[in-house]
């Protein structure tokens, strides 16, 4: 494994050197720097891209003995995995498991399935307003059906008949199929714009990558693009690993305006270790923005207007564990009060609206939220870093995107409850629909847009007043914490591909298409904020958020908001008066509510 990781880093290095202006532009100097001798007939100064491509392919063919002859293959075929079976260790763990999808039609069915999942300690993969996906052993299926009403006895279908084989195929192949790109494709590999060009030949994004490859790749980007990329550390994990991130942005140096807090957008992934596509997508979006700087005016402006923080894995311990031990591990790796049940669900461990009482007595639960708020080490580190940025480093967080999988949804606050509506609901819906549209226009994939609480609370087409049982608690999420505690006006959780055919075991061929969809959504997200839609009245928004949330759900840090300076108060008052004057011209009724709620009511 270590050898493959080192070779992957070398291959990534060769691929990145295709970028104009770097070492690949000088074939003689580039070939001399490689750890093997290069045939002289490969060195052609007039075609450096073709040279590097040949060197890359030669390296792959040399080490893995891939035949040079190109044999026709099925697009999804893998020459090694198609003739091999999972190792005995994997078969022993998952050989008898299946994933079933249950279709829910009533409150009684939803309650029965939720109770049965808790009694049998089942692994609920995903749920929404129409279905629930559950992983369980084939031997447990009769017990589960015995706890369910007759209407659910036949309301399920298998999604994966051979889970062990699906897990095995999700790991990178030890050999690469030759994509045989045309010269036209080769010339466009690293040409980025608002819609990234075809780059399936980029080795780094051809397969999922372990943390041991991601870290040197991030350092490489920092060294290649020092003008606008810096690698930072969010904190230390439970097992002592860094939580790495890339800070991407260009600070203006010739502006005559006084520099206020730097507006910053956080894009995170990997809170749940098994959601590999979230980690790959964060890396893809980061790479696309970094390499588009200076080529696309729109993207360049985004890097000048904002700092972008890319965190590929908020759960590095769990991510490493999925590569070395258990592909379907979800939580972090910290010890609980039960020696044989490790891990805390990091996306249920934040302080705001923490609701871990239901799982407090069951550390074996996949949604175990810890003994108390911020019991998850990595969640505490992330929150502490964010607070320190605003208090000590002149940072103002204006956007938060938390990538997860799966089910293809754009979710906005709140997650903890559907009773308390977010005060900026109209703007959240507007931008959320725009993100879904940007994704759909990329590859035709449809993403739903709804509040994060609604997946298992209400069902489509039924009475909203009906309170449906939740498959898992929604409190203590990073989404709600950033929205409420950090006053990030635009906070979303985006659940990526797919809708259940592969679930967490999404084939690597989806890395690039999913990355392109997310990149276009992120560009739209930044352009929306550049248009000053909703980020001018952050102080008023912060107070409004605190007022509209029940007192028992507020954390101590939300009870008091720092007073604004006299200048900020005057600016806020002037801005508010302008909005109210515009409203007086449109409606004749007295102003009884603040401007945000009136806009929603008029709609």
């Amino acid at each position: 494994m270590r050898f493959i990781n080192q070779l992957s880093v070398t291959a990534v290095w060769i691929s990145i050197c295709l970028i104009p202006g770097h070492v690949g532009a000088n074939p003689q100097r580039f070939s001399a720097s490689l750890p093997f001798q290069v045939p002289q007939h490969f060195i052609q100064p007039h075609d450096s891209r073709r040279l590097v491509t040949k060197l890359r392919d030669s390296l792959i063919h040399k080490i893995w003995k891939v035949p040079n002859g190109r044999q026709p293959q099925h697009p999804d075929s893998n020459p090694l995995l198609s003739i091999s079976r999972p190792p005995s260790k994997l078969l022993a763990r998952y050989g008898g498991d299946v994933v079933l999808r249950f279709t829910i039609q009533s409150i009684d069915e939803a309650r029965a399935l939720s109770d049965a999942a808790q009694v049998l300690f089942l692994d609920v993969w995903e749920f929404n307003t129409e279905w629930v996906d559950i992983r369980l052993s084939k031997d447990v299926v009769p017990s589960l059906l015995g706890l369910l009403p007759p209407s659910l006895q036949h309301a399920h279908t298998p999604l994966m008949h051979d889970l062990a084989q699906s897990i095995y195929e999700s790991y990178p192949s030890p050999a690469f199929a030759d994509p045989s790109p045309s010269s036209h494709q080769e010339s466009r590999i690293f040409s980025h714009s608002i819609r990234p060009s075809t780059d399936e030949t980029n080795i780094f994004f051809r397969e999922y990558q372990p943390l041991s490859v991601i870290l040197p790749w991030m350092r490489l980007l920092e060294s290649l693009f020092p003008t606008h990329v810096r690698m930072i550390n969010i904190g230390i994990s439970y097992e002592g690993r860094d939580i790495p991130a890339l800070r991407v942005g260009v600070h203006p140096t010739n502006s005559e305006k006084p520099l206020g807090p730097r507006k910053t957008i956080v894009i995170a992934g990997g809170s749940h270790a098994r959601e590999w596509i979230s980690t790959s997508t964060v890396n893809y979006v980061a790479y696309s923005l970094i390499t588009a700087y200076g080529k696309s005016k729109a993207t360049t402006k985004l890097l000048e207007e904002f700092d972008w923080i890319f965190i590929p894995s908020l759960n590095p311990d769990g991510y490493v564990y999925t590569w070395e031990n258990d592909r379907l591990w979800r939580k972090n790796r910290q010890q609980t009060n039960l020696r044989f049940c490790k891990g805390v669900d990091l996306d249920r461990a934040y302080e705001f609206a923490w609701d871990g009482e239901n799982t407090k007595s069951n550390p074996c639960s996949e949604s175990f939220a810890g003994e108390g708020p911020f019991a998850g080490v990595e969640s505490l580190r992330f929150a502490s870093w964010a607070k320190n940025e605003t208090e000590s480093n002149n940072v103002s967080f204006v956007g938060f995107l938390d990538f997860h999988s799966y089910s293809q949804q754009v979710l906005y606050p709140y997650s903890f409850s559907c009773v308390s509506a977010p005060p900026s609901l109209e703007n959240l819906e507007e931008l959320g629909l725009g993100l879904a549209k940007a994704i759909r226009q990329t590859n035709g994939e449809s993403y739903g847009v709804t509040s994060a609480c609604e997946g298992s609370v209400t069902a489509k087409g039924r009475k909203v007043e009906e309170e449906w049982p939740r498959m898992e608690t929604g409190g203590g999420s990073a989404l709600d914490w950033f929205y409420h505690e950090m006053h990030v006006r635009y906070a979303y959780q985006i659940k990526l591909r797919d809708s259940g055919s592969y679930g967490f075991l999404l084939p690597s061929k989806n890395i690039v298409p999913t990355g392109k969809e997310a990149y276009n959504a992120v560009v739209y997200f930044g352009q929306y904020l550049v248009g000053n839609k909703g980020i001018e009245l952050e102080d008023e928004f912060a107070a409004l958020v605190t007022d509209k949330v029940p007192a028992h759900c507020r954390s101590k840090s939300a009870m008091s908001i720092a007073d604004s300076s006299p200048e900020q108060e005057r600016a806020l008052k002037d801005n508010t008066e302008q909005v109210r004057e515009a409203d007086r011209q449109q409606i004749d009724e007295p102003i009884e509510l603040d401007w945000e709620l009136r806009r929603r009511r008029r709609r």
Side-chain angles (χ1 to χ4, degrees):
M1 175 65 74
R2 183 178 181 181
F3 169 74
I4 294 177
N5 290 343
Q6 292 174 345
L7 184 58
S8 298
V9 174
T10 303
V12 171
W13 175 50
I14 293 174
S15 296
I16 293 182
C17 285
L18 290 172
I19 304 173
H22 293 293
V23 66
N26 190 325
Q28 286 79 8
R29 180 161 58 92
F30 176 72
S31 60
S33 67
L34 292 176
F36 53 88
Q37 187 172 2
V38 181
Q40 289 299 313
H41 66 272
F42 275 179
I43 303 178
Q44 301 174 0
H46 64 281
D47 194 354
S48 60
R49 289 180 180 271
R50 185 172 296 276
L51 162 67
V52 179
T53 302
K54 289 182 178 180
L55 291 176
R56 179 196 63 193
D57 295 343
S58 176
L59 175 65
I60 294 171
H61 292 312
K62 179 74 173 177
I63 294 178
W64 278 302
K65 310 298 183 184
V66 179
N68 288 321
R70 295 169 182 168
Q71 302 296 331
Q73 295 181 349
H74 188 275
D76 301 334
S77 65
N78 189 313
L80 291 184
L81 297 179
S82 61
I83 60 175
S84 59
R85 291 289 297 165
S88 57
K89 182 178 179 181
L90 190 58
L91 287 172
R93 183 188 294 270
Y94 291 115
D97 286 8
V98 294
V99 179
L100 301 180
R101 169 166 293 184
F102 287 85
T103 303
I104 307 300
Q105 299 293 334
S106 68
I107 292 181
D108 292 337
E109 290 181 353
R111 183 176 295 111
L113 187 58
S114 177
D115 293 343
Q118 294 180 16
V119 169
L120 299 175
F121 301 117
L122 301 182
D123 181 9
V124 178
W125 273 27
E126 191 53 75
F127 51 85
N128 64 12
T129 58
E130 299 174 353
W131 45 259
V132 178
D133 292 348
I134 298 178
R135 175 182 69 86
L136 72 167
S137 171
K138 295 176 183 178
D139 297 335
V140 180
V141 173
S143 300
L144 172 61
L145 296 180
L147 296 174
L148 301 180
S151 58
L152 285 178
Q153 298 294 323
H154 303 286
H156 60 84
T157 56
L159 293 182
M160 297 183 188
H161 296 277
D162 193 343
L163 184 60
Q165 183 69 28
S166 298
I167 291 174
Y168 182 57
E169 292 177 358
S170 71
Y171 285 97
S173 164
F176 294 93
D178 187 353
S180 61
S182 64
S183 58
H184 174 70
Q185 287 176 321
E186 290 176 6
S187 66
R188 290 175 53 83
I189 290 176
F190 291 96
S191 174
H192 291 276
S193 61
I194 294 299
R195 289 175 177 254
S197 59
T198 302
D199 51 1
E200 285 78 356
T201 52
N202 187 332
I203 293 178
F204 185 80
F205 296 112
R206 192 181 300 174
E207 301 278 1
Y208 293 108
Q209 304 295 346
L211 190 65
S212 57
V213 173
I214 293 175
L215 289 176
W217 177 80
M218 295 172 72
R219 297 189 190 102
L220 187 60
L221 289 178
E222 179 187 36
S223 63
L224 291 175
F225 304 95
T227 59
H228 55 287
V229 179
R230 183 160 59 94
M231 189 171 177
I232 62 175
N233 183 23
I234 300 299
I236 304 298
S237 70
Y238 175 79
E239 294 182 343
R241 294 181 175 88
D242 290 343
I243 305 175
L246 292 175
R247 184 186 292 272
V248 181
V250 180
H251 292 214
T253 58
N254 58 351
S255 175
E256 297 181 357
K257 298 180 180 179
L259 296 179
R262 178 66 171 172
K263 292 181 290 186
T264 302
I265 298 171
V266 176
I267 300 180
S271 291
H272 294 148
R274 61 189 176 187
E275 298 170 6
W276 285 6
I277 189 62
S278 68
T279 296
S280 294
T281 300
V282 172
N283 287 334
Y284 187 95
V285 174
Y287 177 81
S288 299
L289 277 177
I290 290 169
T291 55
Y293 177 71
K295 300 177 182 178
S296 163
K297 291 184 179 180
T299 306
T300 299
K301 183 178 181 180
L302 295 182
L303 269 61
E304 293 173 345
E305 290 286 336
F306 306 105
D307 268 5
W308 301 77
I309 307 296
F310 294 97
I311 312 172
S313 179
L314 282 168
N315 182 9
D317 297 345
Y319 187 68
V320 170
Y321 192 77
T322 61
W323 281 84
E324 298 179 351
N325 293 277
D326 183 357
R327 172 65 179 86
L328 294 180
W329 186 259
R330 167 185 168 101
K331 302 181 287 184
N332 74 350
R333 292 295 299 163
Q334 74 185 70
Q335 187 61 56
T336 66
N337 56 15
L338 287 182
R339 181 179 58 84
F340 53 87
C341 287
K342 286 188 175 183
V344 172
D345 184 347
L346 296 180
D347 202 38
R348 295 293 175 261
Y350 291 83
E351 183 181 20
F352 174 69
W354 182 82
D355 184 21
E357 294 298 331
N358 294 333
T359 63
K360 193 173 182 179
S361 61
N362 181 22
C364 297
S365 169
E366 294 287 354
S367 301
F368 178 58
E371 295 291 329
F374 282 132
V377 171
E378 292 80 4
S379 298
L380 177 60
R381 299 286 187 269
F382 186 30
S384 299
W385 169 84
K387 284 185 173 294
N388 182 67
E389 288 291 294
T390 58
E391 295 171 0
S392 304
N393 294 331
N394 199 30
V395 165
S396 173
F397 292 109
V398 297
F400 176 65
L401 298 178
D402 190 13
F403 287 143
H404 285 257
S405 71
Y406 57 95
S407 71
Q408 299 187 186
Q409 295 185 89
V410 178
L411 306 177
Y412 52 81
Y414 288 113
S415 173
F416 80 96
S417 171
C418 288
V419 176
S420 299
S424 59
L425 177 61
E426 178 181 311
N427 288 335
L428 287 169
E429 289 179 335
E430 178 185 357
L431 179 51
L433 291 170
L435 297 177
K437 182 178 180 181
I439 292 172
R440 185 176 66 254
Q441 291 179 333
T442 306
N443 293 316
E445 292 291 330
S446 296
Y447 277 56
V449 181
T450 185
S451 68
C453 74
E454 290 184 354
S456 60
V457 177
T458 57
K460 191 179 299 183
R462 304 183 179 102
K463 294 182 180 180
V464 177
E465 296 81 9
E466 294 180 307
E467 186 170 335
W468 284 56
R470 305 187 70 130
M471 295 302 298
E472 65 178 24
T473 177
S477 68
L479 174 69
D480 288 356
W481 188 84
F482 267 88
Y483 181 79
H484 184 269
E485 296 297 306
M486 300 303 296
H487 312 308
V488 178
R489 193 179 188 92
Y490 294 101
Y492 295 89
Q493 182 183 104
I494 300 181
K495 293 193 174 184
L496 303 166
R497 294 190 185 189
D498 60 2
S499 57
S501 298
Y502 295 98
F504 303 121
L505 306 176
L506 193 68
S508 57
K509 66 179 182 179
N510 291 273
I511 293 175
V512 171
T514 305
K516 290 180 177 180
E517 293 164 359
Y519 174 66
N520 286 340
V522 167
V523 170
Y524 181 91
F525 185 85
Q527 291 176 339
Y528 184 94
L529 296 189
V530 167
N532 295 323
K533 295 183 178 180
I535 63 176
E536 315 92 318
L537 301 177
E538 294 175 359
D539 294 330
E540 183 182 33
F541 166 72
L544 187 59
V545 168
T546 304
D547 291 341
K548 302 306 293 183
V549 173
H552 70 276
C553 292
R554 305 177 196 169
S555 63
K556 294 180 180 179
S557 59
M559 294 298 184
S560 60
I561 300 176
D563 295 334
S564 303
S565 65
E567 294 78 6
Q568 291 174 322
E569 291 178 354
R570 285 194 296 270
L572 177 60
K573 181 178 180 180
D574 294 341
N575 203 336
T576 304
E577 288 301 323
Q578 293 176 8
V579 174
R580 288 177 174 173
E581 180 62 28
D583 286 341
R584 292 189 186 100
Q585 297 175 5
Q586 297 182 33
I587 57 177
D588 297 328
E589 60 180 342
I591 297 177
E592 299 174 352
L593 301 174
D594 51 59
W595 67 274
E596 183 73 42
L597 298 180
R598 283 205 313 279
R599 288 176 59 207
R600 287 221 310 270
R601 185 180 61 190
R602 281 206 310 274
R603 184 179 180 184

